[in-house]
Amino acid sequence: MDETTGTPDPRRWLALAFVSLAQLMVALDATVINIALPSAQRSLHITDPQRQWVITAYTLAFGSLLLLGGRLADTLGRKRTFLAGLVGFAAASAVGGAAPDFAILVAARAVQGAFAALLAPTVLSLLALTFTEAQQQADRAAGARDRAEHGERLGPLPGLGERQREQRQHGRGQQRGERALDRPGRDQD
């Protein structure tokens, strides 16, 4: 809010756009990893028990550092914490996407969870401070909830093409097997 005129700062809508994008990114990551994991498992030769650690590393770091993330936002400043969380989350995501082996993937997921723990409480506090009127806060909180839900719903979309490709390949393999069984000259029961 502008102190001299008492009118809301027009840049608050730009802030809302960035905060919304960050929240969507965190929510989207929680579901998109489930789609990308089978492909990563094949390319990095990850076993099924190891595969669970890719998800667990993120969840443990995120859940255990969430309160600390909020405290750091209060202590160091919300804008600074938000920007650090955003850059760190994106960098850890890039490292995880380019991980050459299992250890680096798990470490990147843990770091990503830690930066998500900085982002999540900072997003909510920035919304509360940017939109100070009670009705605005209620509207923005509802919007934050909606963005989180949309992120969870949109997460599987990037993997649909991958799954469809795998299903087509699997279907072709089955068709070849069926054709081999139907070859002339084979004994039929």
Side-chain angles (χ1 to χ4, degrees):
M1 181 166 293
D2 187 354
E3 300 295 325
T4 58
T5 63
T7 60
D9 188 348
R11 294 180 303 166
R12 65 189 177 145
W13 299 107
L14 181 62
L16 178 63
F18 281 107
V19 166
S20 297
L21 181 64
Q23 187 167 15
L24 181 66
M25 195 170 62
V26 169
L28 189 67
D29 183 72
T31 56
V32 78
I33 187 66
N34 293 318
I35 301 300
L37 205 49
S39 177
Q41 183 177 10
R42 281 190 306 276
S43 64
L44 298 177
H45 309 292
I46 298 172
T47 66
D48 284 337
Q50 289 175 325
R51 178 177 155 165
Q52 186 59 39
W53 275 106
V54 176
I55 296 169
T56 303
Y58 178 91
T59 307
L60 279 173
F62 179 74
S64 62
L65 297 173
L66 202 52
L67 291 175
L68 178 62
R71 181 69 179 142
L72 286 173
D74 290 341
T75 306
L76 301 175
R78 287 163 188 82
K79 182 178 177 183
R80 182 179 298 160
T81 306
F82 175 77
L83 292 174
L86 197 59
V87 169
F89 186 88
S93 183
V95 169
D101 61 24
F102 170 72
I104 292 176
L105 178 60
V106 171
R109 290 291 296 163
V111 171
Q112 198 174 9
F115 281 109
L118 276 180
L119 276 175
T122 307
V123 162
L124 295 176
S125 65
L126 283 171
L127 286 175
L129 291 174
T130 304
F131 297 92
T132 55
E133 295 176 18
Q135 183 59 44
Q136 288 178 336
Q137 285 184 350
D139 291 344
R140 297 308 147 241
R145 183 195 66 239
D146 290 344
R147 283 184 295 283
E149 289 175 2
H150 289 6
E152 291 169 0
R153 289 185 187 126
L154 292 173
L157 289 180
L160 287 178
E162 175 72 19
R163 285 196 181 199
Q164 289 173 344
R165 184 177 57 79
E166 288 176 2
Q167 287 173 347
R168 282 193 306 269
Q169 288 175 347
H170 181 70
R172 282 190 216 125
Q174 282 183 333
Q175 289 173 353
R176 286 187 199 121
E178 290 169 2
R179 282 194 303 256
L181 291 175
D182 292 338
R183 282 189 200 143
R186 290 189 53 89
D187 293 334
Q188 301 286 327
D189 289 329

